[in-house]
Amino acid sequence: FYNRYMIKNNLFDGVLDVFLKNGTRYNLINSAIIELFDFIRKENIKSLVSHVVQHFKQHFEKVDYVETFRQLILKYEQNQELQDGLSRSGNNLSSAGGSIRVAVYG
């Protein structure tokens, strides 16, 4: 519920705006925002990973003093590859009449 609310109401726009206006200063704002995005990546909250990378990738790519944003983009790409692989194998399985449950751990 909360994740959909944040996406629907574009709440990350303000967060990223503050981050960008803060620049490369190392302070509490900078650390808190980096930690927020790192938490989203580590917990692999797929809806939020997808949303923030799709909307802010061009900004993330410019941040080179921490690995967090590159790792977040990588996590997004891994999720996309996994989803593509599952949908392809799902098509093969459905035509064969079988089904498989897959557990995915981030």
Side-chain angles (χ1 to χ4, degrees), residues 48-81:
L48 297 182
V49 169
S50 178
H51 174 75
V52 297
V53 172
Q54 288 176 1
H55 286 84
F56 306 117
K57 183 177 180 179
Q58 69 277 9
H59 299 294
F60 291 165
E61 290 174 331
K62 294 176 186 174
V63 179
D64 58 0
Y65 59 93
V66 291
E67 290 293 315
T68 302
F69 298 104
R70 276 192 287 275
Q71 292 172 350
L72 187 61
I73 293 168
L74 178 62
K75 179 63 74 177
Y76 169 77
E77 292 168 350
Q78 290 169 342
N79 288 343
Q80 291 299 109
E81 289 172 6

Side-chain angles (χ1 to χ4, degrees), residues 30-42:
N30 185 281
S31 297
I33 293 172
I34 290 171
E35 183 64 28
L36 170 67
F37 286 111
D38 200 42
F39 175 80
I40 291 169
R41 177 191 62 84
K42 285 179 182 175

Side-chain angles (χ1 to χ4, degrees), residues 2-103:
Y2 294 111
N3 296 344
R4 286 186 311 212
Y5 181 83
M6 289 188 290
I7 291 168
K8 180 180 177 188
N9 292 294
N10 298 313
L11 298 183
F12 286 100
D13 291 355
V15 172
L16 197 69
D17 188 45
V18 168
F19 181 75
L20 294 174
K21 285 181 180 177
N22 187 59
T24 58
R25 289 177 283 206
Y26 294 106
N27 55 28
L28 188 57
I29 297 247
N30 185 281
S31 297
I33 293 172
I34 290 171
E35 183 64 28
L36 170 67
F37 286 111
D38 200 42
F39 175 80
I40 291 169
R41 177 191 62 84
K42 285 179 182 175
E43 294 299 316
N44 197 17
I45 306 170
K46 290 179 177 64
S47 60
L48 297 182
V49 169
S50 178
H51 174 75
V52 297
V53 172
Q54 288 176 1
H55 286 84
F56 306 117
K57 183 177 180 179
Q58 69 277 9
H59 299 294
F60 291 165
E61 290 174 331
K62 294 176 186 174
V63 179
D64 58 0
Y65 59 93
V66 291
E67 290 293 315
T68 302
F69 298 104
R70 276 192 287 275
Q71 292 172 350
L72 187 61
I73 293 168
L74 178 62
K75 179 63 74 177
Y76 169 77
E77 292 168 350
Q78 290 169 342
N79 288 343
Q80 291 299 109
E81 289 172 6
L82 181 63
Q83 185 178 16
D84 292 345
L86 288 176
S87 66
R88 277 195 301 273
S89 65
N91 289 340
N92 293 339
L93 291 173
S94 63
S95 63
S99 67
I100 294 177
R101 291 187 176 247
V102 178

